Structure formats: structure tokens, C-alpha cells
């Protein structure tokens, strides 16, 4: 503790305290490096207690300033108050400026000579400018982890577990500059493959039951603590020092670090304006345990709103990806781990899902950021009646199922299916470097056909991103609407109108030629939806025909 208000004695006390702490740190570091034994030191922390507004005038206009809350305000108005101006002048003269500056206002040579030179300058010091010592990751080929997809929508695989296999190899090849961070959920989030090459960092006391942990190690590569803001801070420090990492978190609780992500994104944007600031590895976030698969945790675990936070950030640094299957997730992850100076957000569910694209198709799809899935539509060479669009893994499956229902009940309907991986492709190219031109946008979504867009997060985000598009009034978005409980997956989708039946009915209602002739199909879809709700209520699970649905064409 350094406490007081007398300046000379406080300066001496702070200098002595700093010296003591530096020597203690060096002693701890020397002990760790000499015997190689892991332990948890009690690192020193300095607590400074001084008056608020210390050294400011004690009183102004009869009100206390130094040591009082007014010191945090603007108590001196020098623009048009001569009395206040004199107070400020007297205050500044107490620092003896005539001893520090020459007549031209420059530092005297003796003071100028004290400034650090070369790499001792903060801007050039690799400790503070970590990009100077950053080395690219030695990247394995992500194609080696690919899921074999022979037919779209007929193969099941875990998206995040597949990513875990890829991250395991990234870690294996970068054991000194790559870590994965998370709030004690690495295995819960299906990234347990990491433990094959890098165990959890564990410096605490070992109890007998810890022998069953199987993955606790002083020099591990997985950093865990059930504190989202702590692990996010760890990751920031790690990449700021020139290294690489990824944080994984449950979707509803990543909001804990909203302000931390905001500040890092703002810092990155300013860094882009400084030529001497060397690029650092991107801050990569994997959001999993998603809103649409919280059938056991319930309403408290249903909040996809972190994407709204990221969408507020500068287009120079913010990136959001929602890969629909494992192979697109691999392609996106490879891109993000190679990138610099971005805040990358990847949204992918940890459960088993249908797979749609082989690796070559997945790479092409991710390269474009969004595109038409010809195999899912039947509008080649003709105008579609409706565009079914999706963004996110579960919304994509429901949109595909809705498309299949339309083709089953209305055989002559012409549908186009569009999937979005890179969310900022929807933004005009004048506002974001990833954005499409209006011509490109209309080529995908058409100038005048209804678009039924099924989105992972809150629906108004899509409207916000597309509000300047010429045909934005044709875009009808479905997404999470704060309707949920401990529901089955399909039951939750029905409550938020993101299910296959609601989407198909919405499409029928928006196609003029089926508003009357589609009545029978509409009624049949409503009956199916009601039957699904009743089954879920009675048995606590979804009907097998919906739960085990595959693409039929």
C-alpha cells in the first residue's frame, strides 16, 4: 500500500515499492526457470491511495476540489472566466515549466535525453508491440479433417467436434505459440480432441480425485477458468504479445465480455491508423451451445444477441461467420486463424447435424460468403416464385425442410435456395469491404421476388444490414423472438416461427399465384405443425420423422 498526500514522501514511497515488487518478480521468475517446477506465486499488487484530483487547487469559488468529487468534473471554465484562468496559470506555474522548457516551448536537452531510444521505446518494444515478434502459425491442411459428403443433407456429423480435430493438429504443430481458452467448457463444447496433444494448465493443489481428471498438467495448452472475462483477458494478452489463440464459449454467456470485445475492436481500429503498430493475430471467438439446442437448459440459455454487439463495430475490424456444416466450419476456421487485426466471431453448434457440402464445394461457398445451392432449388433457367434463404446451421436445416415441404405439397412451385456464411456480405459494398454490390445482391435474391430468410439470431439484425438494398421490402426475416422454455428443438423453433412449417406457410402466403390454390397445402402444414407440438408435449421429444429428417431430393 502506498498512501498519503505529501508529494515528496509519496514519490519516495512509490519508488521504493516499485523496486521491491520488481525484485520479488525477478526472484520468482528465477526460481521457476532454475528448477522447472510449477508453482503458484503470490505476485505483488500495488494499491495507491491518494486524494482525488491530487495537486489540483484545494478550493475553487468556495467549493472543495482536491480530495473531493468535483475534481472528477470540469470545475474550471477558462474560456470566459478570467478568475479561473488565473487559478489555472498559478496551478501550472507550481510545476516550474521554465525549468523544463526553453523559450520556444521545447524540452530542455537534459530532459529530452532521458527518453528511451530504439527498441526501448514503447512503440518499438516487442513486449508492447507484439506484432513485431509474431510468426504465422504452422498450419496443417484443414482438408485432412473433412467430412465425406456423398449426398447433401444425408450425412450426420458433429460440426464442432470436427473442428476440434483440426484444432488438435494446429496445436500439435504450434506447441509454443497457440492456446485455446474457455470458461471450463472445452469438453462440454466438444473440443476434447485438444487434450490428445495439450492438456489443461493446472498449477493448483492436486487432490486424490484429480487423478481421474486425465488432462491436468502444469505446462498444458488449454487455459480454463469459469470466468469469461478472465479467459478473454488471457487471450487478449496472449495475442498482444505476438502469439495466437481461440476462445470458445456458450452463446448466452459470451455477453459477459461485451465491453472487452468492444474495447479491443476499437483499439484495433485505431491501430490500423498507426504505421508503426505491427499487425497482431486476430481475436478469434467460437460461439457454441447455441440458442436452438437448449432443450435442457431452457430460457436462460437462449440469447444469440452477441452478434448485434459485433455488428456495431467498425467494418475495418469486425467479422461474423455462420457456417452451416462441418466442412464450411473448417474452411472458416482456417481463414480466421491465418488472419490479423480482426475480431472474428464464428457461430457453430456442438451437436450432431446434417452435412451439405463436400470440401471443394464448402471452400468455394466460403470464398463467396453466400451463394445459391442449386441442388436445393428447382429454378435453374426460370424465375423463382420464392427465395428461401438461411444463415446458421439449425436455421439452414429448417429452411431446407421447408423447401422440401413446398415442393411436396406444391409440385409446380419454383424455389431458389440461398445460404449465407459471411454475415457482412449482406451489407452494401460501400459500407463494408465484404459487402455485395446491389447488382450482385439482386442476382442472388432477385429484384422483386419474396425472400423468406431464416436467421440464427434476432431477426431485426438482417433488416438492419439490408435496409439500403433496393428490394429490402421483399425480405421477410424469421429468427429468435425471445420465446422459449425447456422445449424440444422443433418446439422451440415453432414458438419463434423459424420451423419448417411456419417457413413454408410464410412462403405460400407471399406467392401471389398460391394465395388461393395453396390453401389445401397451407392447411396440411398447419395440421402437421399442431401434431408436432402435441407429440412434443406428450413425450418430451420431437417426432422421429422430423427429428431424423434428411434432404429427400
Amino acid at each position: 500500500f502506498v498512501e498519503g498526500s505529501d508529494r515528496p514522501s509519496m514519490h519516495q514511497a512509490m519508488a521504493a515499492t516499485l523496486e521491491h515488487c520488481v525484485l520479488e518478480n525477478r526472484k520468482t521468475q528465477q526460481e521457476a526457470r532454475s528448477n522447472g517446477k510449477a508453482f503458484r506465486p503470490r505476485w505483488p499488487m500495488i494499491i495507491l491511495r491518494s486524494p482525488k484530483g491530487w495537486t489540483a487547487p484545494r478550493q475553487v469559488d468556495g467549493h472543495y476540489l482536491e480530495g473531493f468529487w468535483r475534481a472528477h468534473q470540469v470545475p474550471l471554465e477558462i474560456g470566459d472566466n478570467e478568475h479561473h484562468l488565473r487559478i489555472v496559470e498559478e496551478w501550472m506555474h507550481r510545476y516550474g515549466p521554465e525549468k523544463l522548457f526553453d523559450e520556444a516551448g521545447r524540452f530542455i536537452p537534459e530532459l529530452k535525453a532521458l527518453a528511451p531510444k530504439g527498441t526501448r521505446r514503447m512503440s518499438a518494444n516487442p513486449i508492447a508491440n507484439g506484432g513485431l515478434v509474431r510468426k504465422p502459425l504452422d498450419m496443417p491442411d484443414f482438408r485432412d479433417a473433412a467430412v465425406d459428403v456423398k449426398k447433401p443433407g444425408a450425412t450426420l456429423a458433429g460440426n464442432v467436434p470436427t473442428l476440434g480435430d483440426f484444432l488438435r493438429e494446429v496445436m500439435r504443430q504450434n506447441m509454443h505459440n497457440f492456446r485455446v481458452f474457455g470458461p471450463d467448457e472445452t469438453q462440454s463444447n466438444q473440443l476434447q480432441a485438444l487434450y490428445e496433444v495439450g492438456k489443461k494448465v493446472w498449477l493448483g493443489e492436486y487432490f486424490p480425485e484429480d487423478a481421474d481428471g486425465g488432462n491436468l498438467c502444469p505446462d498444458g495448452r488449454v487455459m480454463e477458468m469459469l470466468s469469461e472475462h478472465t479467459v478473454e483477458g488471457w487471450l487478449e494478452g496472449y495475442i498482444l504479445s505476438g502469439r495466437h489463440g481461440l476462445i470458445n464459449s456458450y452463446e448466452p454467456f459470451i455477453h459477459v465480455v461485451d465491453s472487452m470485445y468492444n474495447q479491443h475492436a476499437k483499439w484495433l481500429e485505431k491501430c490500423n491508423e498507426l504505421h508503426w503498430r505491427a499487425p497482431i493475430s486476430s481475436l478469434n471467438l467460437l460461439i457454441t451451445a447455441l440458442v436452438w439446442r437448449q432443450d435442457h437448459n431452457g430460457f436462460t440459455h437462449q440469447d444469440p444477441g452477441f452478434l448485434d454487439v459485433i455488428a456495431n463495430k467498425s467494418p475495418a475490424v469486425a467479422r461474423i461467420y455462420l457456417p452451416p456444416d462441418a466442412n464450411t466450419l473448417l474452411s472458416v476456421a482456417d481463414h480466421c486463424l491465418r488472419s490479423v487485426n480482426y475480431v472474428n466471431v464464428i457461430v457453430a453448434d456442438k451437436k450432431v447435424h446434417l452435412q451439405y457440402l463436400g470440401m471443394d464445394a464448402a471452400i468455394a461457398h466460403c470464398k463467396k460468403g453466400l451463394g445459391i445451392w442449386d441442388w436445393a432449388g428447382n429454378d435453374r433457367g426460370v424465375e423463382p416464385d420464392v427465395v428461401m434463404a438461411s444463415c446458421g446451421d439449425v436455421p439452414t436445416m429448417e429452411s431446407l425442410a421447408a423447401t422440401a415441404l413446398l415442393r411436396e405439397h406444391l409440385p409446380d412451385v419454383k424455389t431458389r435456395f440461398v445460404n449465407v456464411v459471411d454475415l457482412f456480405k449482406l451489407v452494401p459494398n460501400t459500407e463494408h469491404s465484404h459487402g455485395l454490390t446491389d447488382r450482385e445482391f439482386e442476382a442472388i435474391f432477385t429484384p422483386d421476388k419474396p425472400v423468406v430468410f431464416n436467421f440464427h439470431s434476432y431477426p431485426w439484425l438482417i433488416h438492419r444490414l439490408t435496409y439500403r438494398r433496393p428490394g429490402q421490402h421483399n425480405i421477410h426475416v424469421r429468427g429468435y423472438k425471445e420465446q422459449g422454455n425447456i422445449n424440444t428443438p422443433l418446439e422451440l423453433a415453432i414458438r419463434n416461427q423459424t420451423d419448417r412449417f411456419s417457413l413454408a406457410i410464410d412462403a405460400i402466403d407471399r406467392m401471389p399465384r398460391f394465395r388461393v390454390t395453396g390453401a389445401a397445402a397451407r392447411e396440411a402444414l398447419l395440421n402437421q405443425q399442431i401434431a408436432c407440438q402435441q407429440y412434443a408435449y406428450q413425450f418430451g421429444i420431437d417426432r422421429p420423422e422430423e427429428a431424423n429428417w434428411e434432404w429427400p431430393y
Side-chain angles (χ1 to χ4, degrees):
F1 289 83
V2 179
E3 303 176 272
S5 59
D6 180 67
R7 279 190 288 169
S9 61
M10 284 283 278
H11 290 327
Q12 291 299 317
M14 177 58 83
T17 303
L18 282 171
E19 179 73 8
H20 168 76
C21 291
V22 168
L23 293 176
E24 285 292 306
N25 287 350
R26 288 179 176 172
K27 179 181 176 181
T28 299
Q29 291 168 340
Q30 183 178 6
E31 181 181 353
R33 292 164 184 169
S34 62
N35 61 28
K37 185 178 179 181
F39 63 97
R40 289 201 295 178
R42 294 178 64 85
W43 297 104
M45 178 177 72
I46 300 172
I47 297 177
L48 170 66
R49 187 180 183 213
S50 64
K52 195 177 190 71
W54 192 26
T55 78
R58 176 64 171 153
Q59 283 189 346
V60 174
D61 296 339
H63 296 295
Y64 285 107
L65 184 55
E66 182 190 54
F68 209 72
W69 60 265
R70 289 187 182 87
H72 207 87
Q73 311 304 307
V74 185
L76 291 161
E77 300 288 348
I78 63 175
D80 55 3
N81 189 318
E82 290 290 335
H83 175 60
H84 284 191
L85 182 60
R86 286 194 297 272
I87 292 176
V88 172
E89 186 177 11
E90 292 172 5
W91 176 19
M92 293 295 101
H93 270 297
R94 284 162 46 191
Y95 290 98
E98 63 279 355
K99 299 177 183 179
L100 308 176
F101 304 94
D102 63 20
E103 292 182 357
R106 294 183 295 255
F107 266 137
I108 61 175
E110 297 92 322
L111 287 179
K112 190 174 182 180
L114 293 175
K117 296 177 176 60
T119 57
R120 303 303 291 176
R121 294 172 296 157
M122 187 179 294
S123 63
N125 192 323
I127 294 174
N129 192 352
L132 295 172
V133 294
R134 177 188 178 273
K135 295 180 180 178
L137 287 169
D138 178 12
M139 292 291 287
D141 190 342
F142 66 93
R143 298 169 184 83
D144 293 340
V147 173
D148 186 17
V149 180
K150 292 183 170 60
K151 178 182 180 295
T155 302
L156 287 171
N159 296 345
V160 173
T162 301
L163 174 65
D165 293 340
F166 171 57
L167 293 177
R168 176 194 61 210
E169 300 310 310
V170 175
M171 184 173 285
R172 190 192 306 275
Q173 295 180 201
N174 300 274
M175 290 295 284
H176 299 291
N177 66 338
F178 177 75
R179 290 183 187 268
V180 171
F181 302 79
D184 200 28
E185 294 161 349
T186 302
Q187 185 152 356
S188 172
N189 287 340
Q190 299 299 302
L191 294 174
Q192 61 270 22
L194 291 166
Y195 294 137
E196 297 173 26
V197 295
K199 300 184 183 301
K200 291 184 183 182
V201 175
W202 188 265
L203 299 179
E205 183 180 356
Y206 275 72
F207 296 103
E209 57 266 30
D210 290 326
D212 187 44
N215 52 18
L216 309 179
C217 177
D219 57 352
R221 307 303 299 171
V222 178
M223 304 284 290
E224 287 198 331
M225 179 190 290
L226 192 49
S227 169
E228 285 83 357
H229 68 276
T230 299
V231 296
E232 201 277 348
W234 282 346
L235 175 56
E236 279 195 33
Y238 201 61
I239 62 177
L240 284 169
S241 57
R243 294 169 284 185
H244 307 257
L246 175 142
I247 184 172
N248 67 99
S249 174
Y250 278 20
E251 183 176 53
F253 306 126
I254 196 60
H255 277 298
V256 172
V257 301
D258 279 1
S259 62
M260 299 179 74
Y261 261 78
N262 282 341
Q263 294 306 309
H264 188 74
K266 288 176 178 290
W267 181 84
L268 281 176
E269 184 182 3
K270 293 297 105 180
C271 286
N272 289 334
E273 300 175 5
L274 304 173
H275 70 275
W276 50 263
R277 171 62 69 176
I280 61 168
S281 303
S282 295
L283 200 159
N284 299 309
L285 165 65
L286 171 67
I287 294 180
T288 189
L290 304 182
V291 54
W292 303 110
R293 288 295 180 266
Q294 292 298 334
D295 32 303
H296 61 293
N297 282 320
F299 192 51
T300 59
H301 284 53
Q302 297 165 9
D303 189 336
F306 188 73
L307 300 190
D308 295 83
V309 175
I310 298 300
N312 289 333
K313 298 301 105 187
S314 167
V317 300
R319 302 289 183 267
I320 299 175
Y321 302 99
L322 296 100
D325 65 1
N327 288 338
T328 52
L329 175 57
L330 290 172
S331 180
V332 164
D334 179 79
H335 167 76
C336 292
L337 290 175
R338 294 175 186 271
S339 68
V340 296
N341 277 14
Y342 292 137
V343 172
N344 293 317
V345 177
I346 306 172
V347 182
D349 192 54
K350 63 183 181 178
K351 301 292 182 69
V352 171
H353 288 276
L354 288 171
Q355 305 299 305
Y356 310 111
L357 303 180
M359 183 50 76
D360 290 341
I363 293 171
H365 188 48
C366 292
K367 183 74 174 176
K368 293 182 294 183
L370 85 175
I372 299 170
W373 284 0
D374 284 340
W375 54 268
N378 61 350
D379 70 321
R380 180 172 294 194
V382 298
E383 286 195 22
D385 294 303
V386 65
V387 177
M388 304 297 288
S390 67
C391 184
D393 39 29
V394 172
T396 294
M397 182 190 69
E398 291 299 321
S399 286
L400 284 168
T403 303
L405 287 171
L406 286 173
R407 292 170 64 173
E408 174 190 345
H409 289 277
L410 302 171
D412 62 334
V413 70
K414 296 299 179 184
T415 61
R416 174 179 296 179
F417 195 90
V418 175
N419 180 259
V420 178
V421 177
D422 181 347
L423 189 62
F424 288 124
K425 282 289 180 179
L426 300 175
V427 181
N429 66 313
T430 55
E431 302 298 325
H432 198 290
S433 61
H434 284 203
L436 298 178
T437 65
D438 282 347
R439 174 68 188 91
E440 292 169 330
F441 189 88
E442 287 189 342
I444 296 291
F445 292 100
T446 78
D448 55 2
K449 301 302 180 184
V451 178
V452 179
F453 198 121
N454 206 23
F455 182 44
H456 167 78
S457 187
Y458 294 105
W460 34 89
L461 179 55
I462 299 299
H463 288 299
R464 172 182 153 196
L465 297 178
T466 60
Y467 83 100
R468 286 179 54 190
R469 295 298 186 182
Q472 56 86 19
H473 58 281
N474 296 320
I475 301 174
H476 311 283
V477 187
R478 300 293 186 183
Y480 186 66
K481 299 194 295 185
E482 286 295 312
Q483 297 297 315
N485 208 321
I486 301 178
N487 300 121
T488 68
L490 184 57
E491 190 179 25
L492 180 62
I494 292 172
R495 293 189 67 164
N496 290 275
Q497 297 179 303
T498 62
D499 65 291
R500 60 200 68 183
F501 307 112
S502 295
L503 297 171
I505 291 170
D506 195 14
I508 292 171
D509 290 345
R510 298 187 187 282
M511 293 185 285
R513 72 187 184 102
F514 292 113
R515 282 179 182 168
V516 176
T517 60
R522 195 181 190 283
E523 196 73 5
L525 293 170
L526 275 174
N527 290 338
Q528 284 184 269
Q529 186 184 63
I530 293 169
C532 287
Q533 288 176 294
Q534 291 178 332
Y535 188 95
Y537 182 81
Q538 182 176 359
F539 298 103
I541 57 174
D542 288 324
R543 295 195 313 183
E545 50 265 50
E546 280 77 30
N548 302 322
W549 179 86
E550 294 182 358
W551 178 249
Y553 295 99

